[in-house]
Amino acid sequence: KQWYQRRVRGLIKSKGGMKYFGELSVKKSSTIYDIIDGSNGFYTCKIEKDSRSRMNIPFNLSTPEAEADFVKQAKERGLIGLKGHRSVGGMRASLYNAVTMGDTERLAVFMKE
């Protein structure tokens, strides 16, 4: 356990500390929210802008069928885990620290297609 904690602290420090991860989190979430907000209703997010999470981004498409197709096409491109919670539905992009900016950009490109 201590070995692992030292490794994680070392990684955080080598990247520039918590400031780096905070800024990266804002950049990743802004990338996806900007696509949702600029999609003219193709994607919708029911969360008020001042209450939005930087880690989990819930969004919807126009119909359950469109959402199922989105999940299918995403999976074909290696983008997994986007299906929302079974009781809420929709989509959910999780952007935890292990998700890189490159991963986020791959999702962004797919969402723009």
Side-chain angles (χ1 to χ4, degrees):
K1 184 177 177 179
Q2 290 176 353
W3 174 85
Y4 183 75
Q5 290 172 340
R6 281 193 304 272
R7 298 269 309 191
V8 170
R9 282 194 303 270
L11 171 67
I12 292 170
K13 188 175 180 180
S14 74
K15 295 284 187 179
M18 294 305 292
K19 181 180 178 188
Y20 166 82
F21 284 99
E23 291 170 353
L24 181 61
S25 179
V26 169
K27 186 175 179 182
K28 291 188 302 185
S29 61
S30 295
T31 298
I32 302 303
Y33 281 126
D34 288 350
I35 291 169
I36 293 167
D37 294 340
S39 72
N40 294 317
F42 186 81
Y43 300 109
T44 58
C45 179
K46 298 174 185 172
I47 310 298
E48 296 292 327
K49 288 185 180 185
D50 62 349
S51 298
R52 291 177 171 179
S53 170
R54 289 184 293 184
M55 293 292 155
N56 289 298
I57 301 177
F59 61 98
N60 295 85
L61 282 83
S62 59
T63 66
E65 295 79 19
E67 291 176 352
D69 191 47
F70 180 90
V71 170
K72 179 178 179 267
Q73 289 184 40
K75 189 174 182 179
E76 290 170 358
R77 290 167 174 78
L79 301 166
I80 59 171
L82 291 166
K83 189 173 181 181
H85 191 277
R86 66 180 174 270
S87 68
V88 179
M91 304 290 106
R92 183 183 73 178
S94 294
L95 302 177
Y96 296 106
N97 288 334
V99 176
T100 66
M101 191 63 211
D103 297 331
T104 305
E105 289 168 348
R106 283 182 44 230
L107 174 59
V109 167
F110 170 67
M111 290 177 73
K112 289 178 186 178
E113 289 179 352

